Amino acid sequence: MVASGLAGPECLVDSLTTPIVQTATYTFKNTEELIAYQEGRFGSYEYGRYGNPTARACEEKIRALERAEDCLVSSSGMNAATTMLLALVPAGGHLVTTTDCYRRTRQFIATVLPKMGISATVIDPSDLAGLERALASRPTALFFSESPTNPYLRCIDIPKVKALCAAHGAVVAVDSTFATPINQRALELGADLVLHSATKYLSGHNDVLAGALAGRADLVAAVRAMHNVLGGVIDPHAAYLLLRGMKTLDLRVSRANASALLLARRLQEHPKIARVHYPGLESHPDHAIAARQMDGFGGVVSFELAGDLWATARFIDACRLPYIAPSLGGVESLIEQPTIVSYWDQGPEERACIGIRDSLVRFSVGVEAAEDIWADLNQALEAADARQ
Ligand SMILES: *Cc1c(COP(=O)(O)O)cnc(C)c1O
Ligand SMILES: *[C@@H]1O[C@H](CO)[C@@H](O)[C@H](O)[C@H]1NC(C)=O
């Protein structure tokens, strides 16, 4: 680029990548321009909590991927979920959610929302009769569920849920983190809002935290107004990393789909594996729903060893390829035992009550060669056995 001598944002238009606009506030030439901005005649930004061009580029991209009317990105998936709940459920209101959801989301619904008199009915992801009863019992502002869920990858029937909720005026919000917009377009299936922990597949490199909410413009606007107050903004550099990650989203997700399905099928045949939870397997309780509403089944495979908590821990310790870590959806394979990573503070009875089995393993398939991953899982299953 020939040096143009421009000092303002004009000099950035030839940049192939989206610039990181590292600013807390935005300037106006004069009062007239500021008034024009306030009246919507001059497009700009005002203050960093209300918007940022790098973050806006993320919003535009996710909006396009989800075929949404609008999108809001924020500092984390939890921030997107909590801001949405605070914005869309009125004080004293009611919402319906499902079991087997992200633990912190459930914690927020169970411990923070009641301070505003908000109550929740928790149903099994497949319990449409329970949903109908809950909707009929009292006015319901919102239905909120993951699909697929964590860690058992249960899927909700989005069109059926939408039909029931629409009849009662309840907004349908789906946390589609595990599916990504590559494998599932929740909005096209009927959801009003789709939520992502962009920390996972959207950014995809285990190096940034971010959240996104996309869908109906009026709902996103209501959540954005709450977000402007609460202030869980994404940092411009994090927004850049999210944009960069999304360039390879389709490549990474396609690879993860293929590898995860292969691994799930082989694990299912392995004598040391008691059970595999993967929506792409015919044995999964929600396989028919997943086959109808997803293109691929994602990169997370959960499975149970034929052994106790410690046999499972020995297997995990014998793995050499995946890192032992929470999180998912990045290029590096990650392995974890939910009992130890997420539920260690709860006793065996509480874990049993919420269905977290001690021999459960959650595997987030990275972009490594599938045969390398399979060879490693195999040697670890052998090694764990030998050391018993
Ligand atoms: C990780 C995760 C969240 C929370 O997102 P953060 O970015 O970690 O705040 C919410 N929902 C699902 C399904 C997740 O996997
Ligand atoms: C993964 O997702 C893509 C969508 O990009 C889909 O077309 C493909 O069939 C999926 N692959 C597998 C193996 O499931």
Side-chain angles (χ1 to χ4, degrees):
M1 186 175 115
V2 178
S4 65
L6 292 173
E10 303 93 318
C11 67
L12 298 172
V13 294
D14 293 338
S15 171
L16 185 143
T17 55
T18 307
I20 302 172
V21 183
Q22 191 72 51
T23 189
T25 191
Y26 305 86
T27 61
F28 295 88
K29 281 198 198 73
N30 49 40
T31 303
E32 190 191 330
E33 195 180 79
L34 177 55
I35 291 172
Y37 168 79
Q38 297 291 22
E39 295 180 350
R41 289 179 283 108
F42 173 65
S44 183
Y45 294 84
E46 179 189 340
Y47 180 65
R49 189 163 10 82
Y50 309 139
N52 171 281
T54 315
R56 189 62 199 159
C58 291
E59 293 175 346
E60 280 300 318
K61 186 159 262 183
I62 296 167
R63 190 189 62 70
L65 285 167
E66 290 287 9
R67 281 80 152 158
E69 289 173 11
D70 198 4
C71 172
L72 170 70
V73 296
S74 61
S75 58
S76 69
M78 273 316 294
N79 184 267
T82 54
T83 307
M84 174 191 74
L85 290 165
L86 288 170
L88 299 183
V89 186
H94 175 243
L95 75 143
V96 180
T97 183
T98 58
T99 55
D100 193 32
C101 268
Y102 192 70
R103 185 178 173 196
R104 300 299 171 199
T105 309
R106 283 191 281 120
Q107 189 180 345
F108 182 78
I109 291 170
T111 65
V112 181
L113 292 183
K115 293 184 187 181
M116 278 147 267
I118 294 171
S119 62
T121 303
V122 184
I123 59 167
D124 181 90
S126 61
D127 186 9
L128 291 170
L131 173 60
E132 207 163 5
R133 271 197 308 279
L135 290 167
S137 73
R138 66 198 117 154
T140 302
L142 184 76
F143 170 88
F144 180 39
S145 177
E146 290 167 30
S147 191
T149 64
N150 172 37
Y152 289 111
L153 305 156
R154 301 292 310 278
C155 299
I156 61 161
D157 190 320
I158 300 173
K160 284 193 183 147
V161 165
K162 169 65 181 180
L164 290 174
C165 288
H168 290 86
V171 167
V172 175
V174 175
D175 180 337
S176 198
T177 298
F178 277 57
T180 81
I182 303 298
N183 284 335
Q184 172 174 282
R185 255 91 47 219
L187 301 174
E188 289 179 347
L189 290 162
D192 300 295
L193 287 169
V194 61
L195 188 140
H196 289 279
S197 167
T199 310
K200 317 293 168 52
Y201 289 100
L202 293 184
S203 58
H205 293 73
N206 292 319
D207 58 2
V208 67
L209 278 102
L213 187 72
R216 257 169 57 190
D218 59 328
L219 298 173
V220 175
V223 179
R224 195 186 299 278
M226 178 65 77
H227 173 79
N228 289 349
V229 174
L230 295 180
V233 293
I234 189 169
D235 174 83
H237 189 249
Y240 176 81
L241 290 173
L242 171 54
L243 270 180
R244 174 155 128 153
M246 283 192 287
K247 294 183 189 194
T248 53
L249 180 65
D250 182 67
L251 295 174
R252 290 184 284 102
V253 171
S254 298
R255 173 90 168 209
N257 282 347
S259 300
L261 187 59
L262 179 95
L263 295 170
R265 288 207 171 118
R266 289 189 187 170
L267 284 166
Q268 189 169 240
E269 300 303 316
H270 199 288
K272 289 176 185 134
I273 300 295
R275 195 166 163 203
V276 181
H277 305 267
Y278 187 68
L281 295 178
E282 290 73 12
S283 59
H284 190 278
D286 303 322
H287 174 68
I289 296 173
R292 269 202 308 280
Q293 58 189 33
M294 297 177 78
D295 290 327
F297 302 102
V300 176
V301 183
S302 296
F303 51 95
E304 291 164 46
L305 259 72
D308 65 3
L309 185 143
W310 297 111
T312 308
R314 276 196 301 278
F315 156 74
I316 287 181
D317 289 346
C319 286
R320 291 195 283 251
L321 188 145
Y323 292 93
I324 301 174
S327 201
L328 58 107
V331 291
E332 297 93 358
S333 285
L334 300 183
I335 194 164
E336 63 151 68
Q337 201 167 348
T339 285
I340 300 178
V341 169
S342 305
Y343 296 94
W344 198 232
D345 55 329
Q346 304 199 329
E349 296 80 22
E350 278 167 290
R351 288 198 296 269
C353 180
I354 50 175
I356 297 295
R357 285 183 273 272
D358 287 348
S359 57
L360 183 69
V361 174
R362 191 183 76 185
F363 194 96
S364 171
V365 180
V367 297
E368 305 90 349
E371 292 300 342
D372 287 354
I373 302 174
W374 175 241
D376 189 48
L377 292 178
N378 246 309
Q379 70 76 26
L381 285 166
E382 296 305 321
D385 226 33
R387 238 178 282 156
Q388 208 156 355

